[in-house]
């Protein structure tokens, strides 16, 4: 054990970190850190795009003016009789019946943020009918009736006219989002509205720009690229609802809006030009994903003539980004307010095309690759699944795992030990499960990754695993050239988000970074240009004693209308653990999100959504579950749980999963949920009562439908616990600094010696940044910086020092090394 005279700790060291400063290793590419965006969790509407009126064109629900309510004695109805324009066929008619005074109020994206001394730009189309000819008043009004700001138009007549007003709040307003935006009038007849807009100030005051607090937070991440526009959002559920980029440009008020794949209708206001504005304002390059003929629910378009329109579209989209003002599509970008062409280096063909059961990607990729390569030979082309006919420049690899699995997998791209000469030096390409020989393979974009623990934003435990993962891909930066976490954003109102773990949270009023956001700021703001060889010797984490799996049973639904009946659970000795009569009693159940109803022996969710509940005893081990299930509408099927211990620990059969493309067992641990065993092609049909039987024996499950075995699967072994300490180091040439990152993943402080070999001198003053807390800690709207980095300057740095790394922490040490390195 070494004891250093200039140590931060005087206890015996149990770990040793050795960094070879004399041998700068691989380069960390300038474009390594990036962002990924798509319309998920109200990332755009109710997020980055700052428009405050929700359902401003009244199309979000076919039959009701949701998010609008009548004021005074007025009645409000949707009216299709006289549209403003073809893109906006429905307007809101306010009938001034009753005492002739009234209007309509919008509740925004779960509240309208009212802030002091702020200008809000109001615009709307209005027309009067039935004798109405008065002015319209726009008001920001508190839930208690306080009028924060108010302005009135000139008299409205019988033709559609656009009105613009400014509402300014006074300096003494107490900030609140308990407010609505109201349009009201007095008179006879009716007044109709459409395209109602309430715009707060935007980032850098760009006209039609983006939400300032979110953009400031994104700028702190110093992204070099933005992967856009998705994700599943690119693919859409159907061809009609994919990201059709030509419908995402031009004036915002002429955009049609569409229902994306995350269960809500978006306005498309944050279209392609807005995403590009975001890139420009962040000084980041767009990484453009082009639609490649695969949708989530309709499968793949056939190659050849059927795919050709999409190939042409992709070429035109590239021209929209990169073409000069005299090119047909470049000129449209200029008209959208983006005069300068964008530098584009990377184009990605599709998204997660390994999901295509028909395995059509190779041919689709080839057709698109050839066309793009021919017209834009300099572009680097990214594949999303394994292809054989062409060699892509990069593969896009995605990882969503539990903390333990992330840490275990952090060496995913590490080359095997040299002694393992017989083995092919290979790695598997994440979810697409290809294997390639290192050195002969294309490079990798780690285009979506996140440790799944904490909802809707990650815990510190997830953050520490994220940091270990990031160090793992950094040390393989010769192969993994770029990375971006996903999803980036989530409106944390319970009705707004769909994906469990997201980097940045916000509501109408404010935003917060998760601990993982802060970790990523630490990495990005201390970016090195060369990695340094590092060796870490540290104790292993203690292994928890093995336990037989146990837990209750449960039922769920994934955005599908389902009904269940006759649920019973029998022990292996034949005794009844839960009778069907007991199962009908909702008081015995525990539900997460969503309410369920029990009526006439049928159990079902009260409304369509993603929800599940459990019933029974946490100690149940081996048992057989009987039940009947019927799907009445929707695109998926059933969720059948067993060994359910808590919200993060359960197994389920996902019957009719992924748009009813099959059935598989999944295991959830610590927030990560993975498929295991061999999936089946069983796809439940609507309207049929199925007899389900689930036999649970130790780690094995057998699932029968109408007495036929559909799935048999054994729980995968849990990932090994791993080490307590993980570290990475790099060099910043311009300033002769060594930057060391250390994660203590354990719950005890670790005293470590830190040796920098090959330096002549180390300046004693060094910058130390630490992110620490309890493993389950998260940030939130109410406690936005519960876990946030603290900084200090230490004065005892040396080439051989001893430091204590606090439990559950990420430490970043920035050392100035002297000349003569
Ligand atoms: O990041 C959320 C989703 O995960 C992305 O849309 C999709 O590409 C992936 O499956």
């Amino acid at each position: 054990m070494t004891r250093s005279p200039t140590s931060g700790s005087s206890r015996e060291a149990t770990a040793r970190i050795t960094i070879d400063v004399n041998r700068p290793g691989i380069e960390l590419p300038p474009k390594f850190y990036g962002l990924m965006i798509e319309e998920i969790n109200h990332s755009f509407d109710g997020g980055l795009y700052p428009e405050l009126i929700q359902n401003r064109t009244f199309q979000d629900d076919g039959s009701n003016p949701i998010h609008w309510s009548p004021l005074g004695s007025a009645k409000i109805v949707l009216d299709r009789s006289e549209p403003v324009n073809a893109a906006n066929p429905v307007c809101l008619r306010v009938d001034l019946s009753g005492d002739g005074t009234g209007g309509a109020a919008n509740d925004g994206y779960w509240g309208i943020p009212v802030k002091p001394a702020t200008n809000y730009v109001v615009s709307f189309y209005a027309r009067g009918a039935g004798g109405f000819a008065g002015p319209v008043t726009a008001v920001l009004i508190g839930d208690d009736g306080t009028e924060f700001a108010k302005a009135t138009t000139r008299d409205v007549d019988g033709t559609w006219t656009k009105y613009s007003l400014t509402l300014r709040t006074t300096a003494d307003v107490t900030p609140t989002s308990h407010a609505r935006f109201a349009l009201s009038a007095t008179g006879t007849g009716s007044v109709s509205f459409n395209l109602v807009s309430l715009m707060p100030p935007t980032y850098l005051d760009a006209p039609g720009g983006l939400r300032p607090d979110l953009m400031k937070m994104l700028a702190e991440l110093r992204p070099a690229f933005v992967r856009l526009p998705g994700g599943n959002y690119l693919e859409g559920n159907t061809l009609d609802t994919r990201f059709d980029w030509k419908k995402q440009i031009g004036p915002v008020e002429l955009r049609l809006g569409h229902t994306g794949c995350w269960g809500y209708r978006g306005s498309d206001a944050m279209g392609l030009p807005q995403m590009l504005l975001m890139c420009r304002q962040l000084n980041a390059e767009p990484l453009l994903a082009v639609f490649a003929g695969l949708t989530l629910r309709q499968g793949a378009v056939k190659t050849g003539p059927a795919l050709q329109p999409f190939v042409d579209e992709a070429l035109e989209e590239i021209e929209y980004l990169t073409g000069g003002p005299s090119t047909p599509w470049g000129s449209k970008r200029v008209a959208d307010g983006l005069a300068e062409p964008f530098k584009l280096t990377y184009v990605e063909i599709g998204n997660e095309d390994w999901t295509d059961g028909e395995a059509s990607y190779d041919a689709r990729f080839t057709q698109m690759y050839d066309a793009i390569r021919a017209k834009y030979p300099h572009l680097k082309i990214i594949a999303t699944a394994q292809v054989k006919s062409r060699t892509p420049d990069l593969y896009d690899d995605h990882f969503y795992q539990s903390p333990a699995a992330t840490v275990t997998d952090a060496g995913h791209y590490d080359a095997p030990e040299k002694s393992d000469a017989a083995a092919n030096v290979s790695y598997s390409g994440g979810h697409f499960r290809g294997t390639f020989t290192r050195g002969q393979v294309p490079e990798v974009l780690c285009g979506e990754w996140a440790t799944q623990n904490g909802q809707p934003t990650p815990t510190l435990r997830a953050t520490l695993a994220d940091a270990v993962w990031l160090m793992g891909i950094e040390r393989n930066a010769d192969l993994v050239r770029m990375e971006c976490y996903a999803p980036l954003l989530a409106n944390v109102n319970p009705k707004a988000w769909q994906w469990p773990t997201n980097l940045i949270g916000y509501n109408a009023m404010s935003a917060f970074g998760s601990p993982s956001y802060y970790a990523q700021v630490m990495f990005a703001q201390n970016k090195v240009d060369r990695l340094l060889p590092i060796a870490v010797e540290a104790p292993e984490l203690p292994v928890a004693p093995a336990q037989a799996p146990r837990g209750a049973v449960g039922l769920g639904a994934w955005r599908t209308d389902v009904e269940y009946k006759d649920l019973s659970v029998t022990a292996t000795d034949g005794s009844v653990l839960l009778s069907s009569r007991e199962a009908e009693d909702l008081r015995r159940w525990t539900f997460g999100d969503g309410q369920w109803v029990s009526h006439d022996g049928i159990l079902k969710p009260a409304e369509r959504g993603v929800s599940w509940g459990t019933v029974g005893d946490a100690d149940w081990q081996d048992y057989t579950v009987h039940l009947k299930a019927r799907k009445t509408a929707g695109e998926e099927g059933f969720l059948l749980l067993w060994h359910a211990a808590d919200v993060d620990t359960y197994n389920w059969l996902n019957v009719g999963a992924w748009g009813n493309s099959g059935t598989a067992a999944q295991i959830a641990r610590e927030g990560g949920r993975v498929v295991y065993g061999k999936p089946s092609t069983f796809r439940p049909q609507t309207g049929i009562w199925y007899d389900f039987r689930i036999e649970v024996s130790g780690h094995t499950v057998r699932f029968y439908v109408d007495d036929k075995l559909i799935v048999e699967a054994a729980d995968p072994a849990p990932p090994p616990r791993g080490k307590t300490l993980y570290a990475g180091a790099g060099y910043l040439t311009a300033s002769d600094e060594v930057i060391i990152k250390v994660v203590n993943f354990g719950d005890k402080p670790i005293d470590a010696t830190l040796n920098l070999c090959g330096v002549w001198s180390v300046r004693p003053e060094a910058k130390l940044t630490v992110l620490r807390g309890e493993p389950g800690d998260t940030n939130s709207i109410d406690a936005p910086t519960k876990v946030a980095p603290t900084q200090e300057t230490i004065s005892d740095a040396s080439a051989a020092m001893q430091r204590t790394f606090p439990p559950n922490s990420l430490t970043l040490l920035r050392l100035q090394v002297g000349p003569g390195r």
Side-chain angles (χ1 to χ4, degrees):
M1 300 289 170
T2 321
R3 195 174 289 223
S4 162
T6 56
S7 69
S9 162
S10 57
R11 287 179 306 210
E12 288 275 284
T14 56
R16 182 197 306 265
I17 299 172
T18 311
I19 298 159
D20 194 346
V21 187
N22 233 357
R23 281 199 303 131
I26 55 171
E27 178 210 29
L28 191 64
K31 288 205 180 80
F32 191 75
Y33 303 120
L35 305 178
M36 187 234 172
I37 52 165
E38 66 175 317
E39 180 58 296
I40 181 173
N41 307 317
H42 284 272
S43 295
F44 293 172
D45 285 356
L48 266 176
Y49 193 74
E51 172 63 60
L52 297 177
I53 304 298
Q54 183 157 198
N55 192 21
R56 69 199 200 92
T57 64
F58 310 106
Q59 297 177 72
D60 286 4
D61 177 289
S63 33
N64 292 303
I66 56 170
H67 296 288
W68 291 89
S69 49
L71 288 176
S73 59
K75 291 200 176 71
I76 60 171
V77 285
L78 294 182
D79 182 3
R80 291 184 161 77
S81 63
E82 215 165 325
V84 171
N85 57 35
N88 294 287
V90 193
C91 71
L92 184 75
R93 196 180 70 228
V94 177
D95 287 326
L96 296 168
S97 45
D99 64 6
T101 299
N106 186 270
D107 55 18
Y109 289 93
W110 304 284
I112 300 261
V114 177
K115 299 185 180 174
T118 301
N119 282 350
Y120 296 81
V121 178
V122 175
S123 67
F124 55 87
Y125 284 78
R127 66 180 276 271
F132 180 80
V136 167
T137 300
V139 197
L140 278 178
I141 186 164
D143 290 354
D144 61 359
T146 310
E147 291 187 349
F148 296 108
K150 190 171 179 172
T152 299
T153 64
R154 63 180 189 275
D155 283 355
V156 166
D157 61 24
T159 53
W160 280 118
T161 305
K162 185 172 180 176
Y163 296 88
S164 299
L165 300 167
T166 299
L167 296 181
R168 182 165 178 83
T169 53
T170 54
D172 58 357
V173 158
T174 307
T176 180
S177 60
H178 293 286
R180 296 187 296 165
F181 170 76
L183 290 171
S184 59
T186 301
T188 54
S190 66
V191 55
S192 297
F193 298 103
N194 209 337
L195 284 155
V196 184
S197 174
L198 178 68
M199 281 292 266
T202 63
Y203 184 61
L204 303 179
D205 294 326
L210 307 171
R211 181 169 153 166
D213 55 350
L214 294 179
M215 284 296 285
K216 277 186 204 140
M217 290 182 71
L218 298 182
E220 294 291 317
L221 287 162
R222 306 213 180 140
F225 69 92
V226 180
R227 178 174 173 239
L228 59 87
N232 290 157
Y233 182 61
L234 169 74
E235 303 167 83
N237 285 337
T238 61
L239 279 181
D240 284 347
T241 56
R242 74 198 158 97
F243 182 82
D244 186 345
W245 77 269
K246 289 185 185 170
K247 295 181 181 158
Q248 302 279 339
I249 62 172
V252 168
E253 61 184 46
L254 294 181
R255 297 202 194 142
L256 300 170
H258 77 287
T259 301
C261 59
W262 295 105
Y264 60 94
R265 185 178 182 281
S267 70
D268 295 348
M270 176 102 189
L272 191 53
Q274 285 70 23
M275 296 186 211
L276 294 174
L277 171 69
M278 171 186 175
C279 294
R280 184 145 284 162
Q281 291 187 324
L282 293 174
N283 199 19
E285 227 184 78
L287 183 158
L288 180 69
V290 294
F291 180 74
L294 180 69
T295 64
L296 296 168
R297 305 266 191 257
Q298 284 179 325
V301 173
K302 286 208 168 13
T303 42
L307 189 67
Q308 196 53 40
F310 301 106
V311 178
D312 296 340
E313 241 181 41
L315 296 174
E316 291 163 337
E317 191 175 6
I318 295 170
E319 184 178 288
Y320 178 88
L321 267 68
T322 62
S326 57
T327 59
W329 290 101
S331 66
K332 293 196 189 299
R333 183 200 65 244
V334 176
D336 284 338
L338 299 162
E340 289 303 313
F342 283 79
K343 182 169 187 302
L344 184 72
T345 310
Y346 299 96
V347 169
E348 179 163 3
I349 298 184
N351 176 62
E352 294 188 343
D353 287 79
W354 43 266
T355 56
D356 177 19
E358 300 154 47
S360 62
Y361 187 56
D362 198 11
R364 284 186 291 114
F365 181 83
T366 300
Q367 193 174 340
M368 299 200 74
Y369 175 98
D370 288 352
I372 295 171
R373 186 55 90 230
K375 187 153 184 202
Y376 298 101
H378 66 283
L379 287 178
K380 289 190 184 251
I381 300 180
I382 305 172
T384 76
Q386 195 163 14
V387 287
K388 297 210 164 70
S389 308
R390 297 289 180 274
T391 305
D393 295 294
L394 293 95
Y395 275 104
D396 179 4
D397 221 354
H398 296 178
F399 302 85
Y400 295 105
Q401 309 186 78
S402 69
T406 300
V407 168
T408 308
D409 201 22
H412 190 90
Y413 296 103
D414 290 345
E417 294 299 322
K418 289 223 166 47
S419 59
D420 194 9
N424 211 3
V425 184
S426 63
Y427 71 97
S428 81
H431 280 303
F432 65 80
R433 298 190 185 95
T435 358
F436 305 93
T437 303
R438 196 182 176 104
Q440 297 170 5
V441 296
E443 295 168 346
V444 171
L445 153 72
C446 193
E448 290 180 32
W449 65 271
T451 306
Q452 305 277 283
N453 190 247
Q455 299 188 4
T457 54
T459 59
L460 179 63
R461 181 163 167 74
T463 301
L464 299 177
D466 284 345
V468 175
W469 174 261
L470 256 182
M471 292 191 290
I473 54 175
E474 280 185 348
R475 71 172 172 264
N476 286 285
D478 54 335
L479 189 63
V480 184
R481 305 295 289 169
M482 316 162 82
E483 68 77 31
C484 45
Y485 181 104
L488 178 66
L489 298 165
N491 185 316
V492 297
N493 183 286
K495 294 198 168 141
W497 54 276
Q498 300 81 42
W499 191 265
T501 309
N502 310 283
L503 197 66
I504 294 173
Y506 49 89
N507 63 10
M509 198 69 190
S510 64
F512 66 93
S514 64
S516 191
Y517 165 80
Y518 286 115
Q520 291 180 44
V521 169
M522 284 165 70
F523 275 63
Q525 296 197 359
N526 295 281
K527 184 178 176 298
V528 297
D529 39 42
R530 294 236 157 239
L531 279 304
L532 292 171
I534 184 166
V536 181
E537 295 158 54
E540 298 284 311
L541 285 167
V543 178
Q547 257 205 342
R550 59 190 73 212
V553 300
L555 299 173
W558 194 281
R559 291 197 198 100
T560 300
D561 298 336
V562 293
E563 296 178 342
Y564 296 104
K565 65 179 179 181
D566 300 342
L567 170 68
S568 66
V569 184
T570 319
T572 41
D573 63 4
S575 59
V576 176
L577 297 174
L578 182 80
S579 70
S580 55
R581 182 175 286 261
E582 288 167 333
E584 286 165 20
D585 181 355
L586 284 180
R587 287 169 303 182
R588 293 176 177 267
W589 287 76
T590 307
F591 292 100
D593 295 329
Q595 298 212 320
W596 282 53
V597 290
S598 174
H599 193 60
D600 285 344
I602 290 185
L603 279 166
K604 61 178 185 180
E607 58 181 31
R608 192 181 288 189
V610 176
S611 72
W612 61 88
T614 56
V615 61
D617 198 305
D619 275 333
W620 289 351
Q621 287 187 18
D622 294 348
Y623 45 77
T624 299
V625 186
H626 288 274
L627 74 151
K628 291 190 174 60
R630 171 169 77 169
K631 155 176 162 179
T632 53
E635 285 162 344
E636 300 245 340
F638 313 98
L639 300 174
L640 313 173
L641 289 80
W642 75 98
H643 284 169
D646 57 49
V647 285
D648 281 339
T649 314
Y650 55 87
N651 294 49
W652 76 24
L653 281 149
N654 199 334
V655 184
W658 305 288
N660 206 6
S661 58
T663 293
Q666 290 180 279
I667 185 164
R669 294 291 179 266
E670 285 197 318
R673 190 170 54 221
V674 292
V675 172
Y676 69 101
K678 189 167 175 274
S680 136
T681 53
F682 176 66
R683 298 170 179 165
Q685 292 170 35
T686 304
I688 297 179
W689 276 110
Y690 291 99
D691 254 315
F692 290 159
R693 186 169 87 247
I694 306 165
E695 292 176 0
V696 179
S697 170
H699 287 281
T700 302
V701 67
R702 288 184 192 83
F703 174 53
Y704 298 83
V705 178
D706 297 334
D707 276 331
K708 189 170 164 228
L709 182 64
I710 298 293
V711 171
E712 176 167 0
D715 292 347
R721 289 283 283 156
K723 287 186 300 185
T724 42
L725 224 57
Y726 295 84
Y731 198 78
L732 200 51
T733 317
S735 53
D736 270 326
E737 283 174 290
V738 170
I739 295 173
I740 305 166
K741 292 169 284 213
V742 181
V743 167
N744 181 354
F745 204 60
D747 57 7
K748 307 250 170 352
I750 300 278
D751 299 302
T753 56
L754 208 57
N755 292 314
L756 274 68
C757 307
V759 285
W760 284 16
S761 66
V762 173
R763 203 168 144 194
E765 288 75 35
K767 286 183 211 142
L768 184 78
T769 312
V770 182
L771 187 71
R772 60 181 296 191
E774 292 302 317
D777 284 351
T778 53
N779 291 338
S780 63
I781 293 287
D782 295 331
T785 52
K786 180 171 181 184
V787 186
T790 53
Q791 284 177 328
E792 63 177 298
T793 301
I794 58 166
S795 51
D796 58 353
S798 75
M801 56 180 150
Q802 186 163 324
R803 292 221 63 83
T804 301
F805 294 98
N808 310 304
S809 67
L810 164 65
T811 300
L812 189 141
L813 197 53
R814 200 163 169 148
L815 303 167
Q816 183 84 55
V817 295
R821 178 173 64 81

